[in-house]
Amino acid sequence: MGARSARCPVSAALGGAVELLERSLGYTRGTLADVRPELLDRPTPCVGWSLGRLLAHMEDALDAFTEAASGRVRVDPVPETTTRVEALREKACALLGAWAAARPADEEQEVAVGDVGIDAPLLVATAALEITVHGWDVGQATGSATRIPEDLARGLLGVAEQVIGPLDRGPRFACPRPAPAEASYDVRLLSWTGRGAHHLTEPPLCNPHERPSRRGLAS
């Protein structure tokens, strides 16, 4: 998750962001259903990361976004863990419950991410973006290739355009992939994050050595 601005605006209020988060978790729980032990060494759209390592990253991110409901996220690196799909499902439920119970009256409440304050609605919407996109990554690795629902992709596209800027390209994301103006919302969303339908068979468009960062969205 980028931290370029402490006041990056987001159109949805916190309640709307939590609803977006709920739909993102529903989508990703579906893609996780296809994960099997023999698939954990498969490559993913996160360059250089196997499915097993991606699941570990996702588990760490769920912990961080749940922690954020208390008002602060630590950004220290954490040790690698052995990830279980059931653990991811349980943490997804905990994440949604934490934010559903933490809706403040003041929608300008900030969450401290390191030394930067991020508006709570933006942080929750970013969590929904990360969970959805990595859910798509999981589907690509398992072969299910489940498409992101159009209504969910439509809600996340504006978030992605706000939180993924030029400085994120290369170290965190590939360059945007071309997408026609009439393309569906899921295609446009994935293109903006540097992904595409043939991501695993096409060369990366930016730094070929990029790696997903811990506790944050990356391609």
Side-chain angles (χ1 to χ4, degrees), residues 124-201:
V124 175
T126 302
L129 174 64
E130 167 154 1
I131 290 163
T132 299
V133 172
H134 281 327
W136 183 86
D137 293 336
V138 169
Q140 295 299 301
T142 63
S144 67
T146 306
R147 292 186 65 168
I148 300 171
E150 276 292 273
D151 60 338
L152 176 58
R154 182 172 59 249
L156 292 173
L157 180 58
V159 179
E161 291 172 344
Q162 289 180 19
V163 301
I164 304 172
L167 296 180
D168 295 307
R169 305 296 180 179
R172 293 170 59 82
F173 293 91
C175 296
R177 292 175 181 254
E182 67 275 12
S184 59
Y185 281 104
D186 65 323
V187 170
R188 291 164 60 189
L189 173 65
L190 292 167
S191 298
W192 185 254
T193 68
R195 291 163 167 84
H198 305 290
H199 195 105
L200 291 177
T201 57

Side-chain angles (χ1 to χ4, degrees), residues 44-177:
T44 73
C46 296
V47 178
W49 282 60
S50 67
L51 177 58
R53 294 194 71 186
L54 175 61
L55 294 177
H57 167 75
M58 292 170 68
E59 185 176 6
D60 180 44
L62 287 173
D63 285 340
F65 286 124
T66 302
E67 180 185 326
S70 66
R72 174 169 289 276
V73 176
R74 295 189 302 272
V75 293
D76 301 325
V78 299
E80 293 288 340
T81 59
T82 300
T83 303
R84 297 290 184 270
V85 169
E86 190 57 39
L88 280 167
R89 289 179 179 137
E90 292 175 0
K91 290 185 177 188
C93 291
L95 170 64
L96 183 60
W99 278 105
R103 300 182 185 186
D106 181 4
E107 293 177 358
E108 296 300 312
Q109 174 184 340
E110 289 187 345
V111 176
V113 181
D115 296 329
V116 178
I118 305 295
D119 289 343
L122 178 60
L123 187 139
V124 175
T126 302
L129 174 64
E130 167 154 1
I131 290 163
T132 299
V133 172
H134 281 327
W136 183 86
D137 293 336
V138 169
Q140 295 299 301
T142 63
S144 67
T146 306
R147 292 186 65 168
I148 300 171
E150 276 292 273
D151 60 338
L152 176 58
R154 182 172 59 249
L156 292 173
L157 180 58
V159 179
E161 291 172 344
Q162 289 180 19
V163 301
I164 304 172
L167 296 180
D168 295 307
R169 305 296 180 179
R172 293 170 59 82
F173 293 91
C175 296
R177 292 175 181 254

